[in-house]
Amino acid sequence: MHIHYFQHDDFEDLAYIGRWAEKNGIATSCTRFDRPCPQFPSHSAYDWLIIMGGAPGAYEEDKYPWLSDEKRFIREAIELGKTVFGICLGSQLIAASLGAKVYSNASPEIGFFPVIFNASAAKDEVFCHFPQQLTVMHWHNDTFELPDGAILMASSEATKNQAFRWGRNVFAFQFHFEMNMLAARTLVEKSGQNLPTSRWVQLPEDLLSQSAVLQQNNDLFDIILNEMRSITSHAAKQNR
């Protein structure tokens, strides 16, 4: 198995997913959009495509011209049946690649707030492993409409569309389920200055006091990633 991931900021890498991959002997490679002339891999070179978060808006092609190519590549990966998994900006790029609108949320959501997993999640072979309510880390200004055919799995009070599944192979999470303490500390250090004042924005010191929550989420994420690997490996064998 081989994971290829898209990185948009110099500090926002796979975080806990990288540890999980290393632990399971899974190779990884990366396209860095924060560097000049990003190179896309051949679709035959990877099994999973993971799209990470970052500062760009999914609709800012005028500012980030490579976004058009990135969204085209994501759509191709989905159509080829690759496992495609997006976090934060990654979820927005998946939504946009599937034809849905991405736009500014009513309020930024930055901090640790609960998401509620719905009845569809309870019946889903992957999302059923989540509890009905889970406190997770958020850091986003934008949101998205659900693509046609997507199944909503989770919502928060500030953001209706927090997670969805599209078909067998596409998983999207608006929240930062991949964050470990090192990644959270780096994100706060790089992006935590001059945060807006809002009910849904926490202070940097509050963000950095949640190590137990991050550890709990990493432990759960391990189960989710293993389940995704099991399901997609089985599907790949059936398609041979």
Side-chain angles (χ1 to χ4, degrees):
M1 179 174 162
H2 188 109
I3 291 173
H4 188 81
Y5 66 100
F6 288 167
Q7 183 171 333
H8 304 96
D9 287 338
D10 63 347
F11 57 89
E12 203 159 345
D13 58 15
L14 285 177
Y16 183 76
I17 303 170
R19 179 181 173 189
W20 173 82
E22 183 178 3
K23 180 171 63 175
N24 287 280
I26 297 169
T28 63
S29 56
C30 181
T31 296
R32 295 283 299 266
F33 293 100
D34 61 312
R35 295 177 178 174
C37 304
Q39 299 295 310
F40 292 94
S42 164
H43 285 297
S44 63
Y46 67 93
D47 302 291
W48 284 21
L49 177 65
I50 300 181
I51 307 106
M52 304 306 298
Y59 42 79
E60 293 186 305
E61 289 93 345
D62 56 338
K63 189 175 180 181
Y64 306 99
W66 42 260
L67 278 169
S68 296
D69 291 333
E70 182 179 10
K71 285 184 280 191
R72 187 181 306 112
F73 188 95
I74 292 168
R75 178 71 195 194
E76 290 170 357
I78 292 171
E79 292 173 347
L80 287 168
K82 301 289 185 177
T83 296
V84 179
F85 176 22
I87 296 172
C88 197
L89 171 60
S91 69
Q92 297 161 14
L93 288 168
I94 289 174
S97 299
L98 292 170
K101 181 182 178 182
V102 181
Y103 56 96
S104 294
N105 202 15
S107 169
E109 189 176 21
I110 299 172
F112 286 83
F113 304 104
V115 291
I116 307 298
F117 291 87
N118 59 27
S120 294
K123 295 182 290 186
D124 184 84
E125 56 199 337
V126 171
F127 285 88
C128 69
H129 294 283
F130 287 100
Q132 185 178 16
Q133 178 172 309
L134 181 69
T135 296
V136 292
M137 185 176 183
H138 307 263
W139 199 299
H140 65 101
N141 295 302
D142 291 344
T143 187
F144 51 82
E145 295 178 353
L146 278 183
D148 290 343
I151 300 173
L152 180 65
M153 295 293 179
S155 304
S156 68
E157 190 173 350
T159 307
K160 178 182 178 182
N161 296 330
Q162 280 284 356
F164 69 85
R165 185 170 181 177
W166 190 92
R168 294 283 298 168
N169 60 314
V170 181
F171 305 85
F173 298 88
Q174 177 60 70
F175 52 88
H176 281 280
F177 204 44
E178 86 290 5
M179 285 286 168
N180 52 25
M181 197 61 211
L182 175 60
R185 189 178 296 112
T186 303
L187 180 58
V188 170
E189 178 185 313
K190 297 283 188 176
S191 304
Q193 294 77 37
N194 302 314
L195 293 177
T197 300
S198 167
R199 175 187 175 190
W200 303 112
V201 177
Q202 294 176 343
L203 297 172
E205 53 266 34
D206 294 328
L207 286 163
L208 294 177
S209 68
Q210 302 292 332
S211 59
V213 174
L214 289 171
Q215 184 60 58
Q216 176 193 41
N217 287 349
N218 291 168
D219 292 344
L220 180 55
F221 202 13
D222 212 81
I223 296 170
I224 301 299
L225 289 167
N226 286 334
E227 188 64 30
M228 288 171 58
R229 184 185 185 192
S230 174
I231 290 167
T232 56
S233 296
H234 179 69
K237 288 177 183 178
Q238 286 185 322
N239 291 332
R240 287 174 184 166

